[in-house]
Amino acid sequence: MPSTTPTVAQAVELPVELTVNGERRELSLDTRTTLLDALRERLGLTGSKKGCDHGQCGACTVLLDGERVNSCLVLAASVDGSRVVTVEGLAEPDGRLHRLQQAFIDHDAFQCGYCTPGQICSGVAAIREAAEGRPSAVTPPGPPETPVRLSEEEVRERMSGNLCRCAAYPGIVAAVLEASR
Ligand code: FES
Ligand code: FES
């Protein structure tokens, strides 16, 4: 009679190579490791935050080959060979802040700051997406690939995947608008 004892899946490790904030990193990772955990637990890059771990809050947002992603939903082994930029990699090598980071300071766009790294990574991508003419749900119809001028409504829509429990939204919107000009 066949055994009914459930089998426990064995951990499988794979070599994974990522370019993180411009630096090549080689890791051996359990195939179930998320990109967020690889960044935080294995590479010590704790700027990206684990809020919900379910793709709902945006606190873990990083740039993956230039596109924003919720890193809690991405398996690191599935993006072998990719470029990742976290909030730690946005400033200039000489320490000068990215203009969106400076705008967050100038507009008092964070309170507890937990959501801030994800907000900033998302904002950087949102500004670029608009400049490239990628429409959002509130962009009026127009010729394709025409740069979208960001309005408050556009910023709110494009940043809607990032939640802030402190509700620093007015400052966040003002900061993204300023950095987009
Ligand atoms: S921690 Fe990834 S979306 Fe919330
Ligand atoms: S600044 Fe506190 S959650 Fe956004």
Side-chain angles (χ1 to χ4, degrees):
M1 193 171 154
S3 164
T4 55
T5 309
T7 51
V8 177
Q10 297 293 308
V12 176
E13 295 235 340
L14 280 180
V16 177
E17 187 184 303
L18 298 169
T19 302
V20 183
N21 298 333
E23 204 179 317
R24 212 160 111 178
R25 309 298 297 261
E26 290 174 12
L27 297 163
S28 176
L29 293 175
D30 185 315
T31 50
R32 299 164 292 187
T33 307
T34 64
L35 178 58
L36 177 61
D37 284 341
L39 293 169
R40 288 180 56 85
E41 310 294 336
R42 297 293 298 275
L43 298 178
L45 293 167
T46 53
S48 309
K49 298 293 185 282
K50 185 180 282 193
C52 63
D53 212 15
H54 280 83
Q56 293 170 349
C57 73
C60 62
T61 305
V62 299
L63 304 177
L64 179 65
D65 290 333
E67 302 291 335
R68 48 185 166 161
V69 296
N70 289 334
S71 60
C72 70
L73 295 184
V74 176
L75 291 176
S78 73
V79 295
D80 181 35
S82 299
R83 281 178 301 113
V84 180
V85 176
T86 69
V87 72
E88 289 95 337
L90 291 176
E92 301 293 332
D94 65 5
R96 266 181 306 131
L97 294 179
H98 186 283
R99 63 200 161 107
L100 185 54
Q101 289 175 309
Q102 187 59 53
F104 263 63
I105 293 171
D106 296 342
H107 290 275
D108 205 11
F110 47 84
Q111 289 170 31
C112 76
Y114 198 81
C115 70
T116 305
Q119 298 273 7
I120 291 177
C121 287
S122 195
V124 167
I127 291 168
R128 204 199 49 250
E129 288 160 16
E132 289 173 356
R134 290 152 73 174
S136 78
V138 299
T139 306
E145 292 173 31
T146 306
V148 179
R149 187 171 166 75
L150 288 180
S151 61
E152 191 168 308
E153 188 188 20
E154 280 279 359
V155 174
R156 287 185 182 277
E157 169 61 25
R158 289 174 189 265
M159 297 292 291
S160 60
N162 292 75
L163 304 182
C164 174
R165 291 156 193 79
C166 311
Y169 295 120
I172 294 168
V173 172
V176 175
L177 280 175
E178 181 177 308
S180 72
R181 290 186 188 119

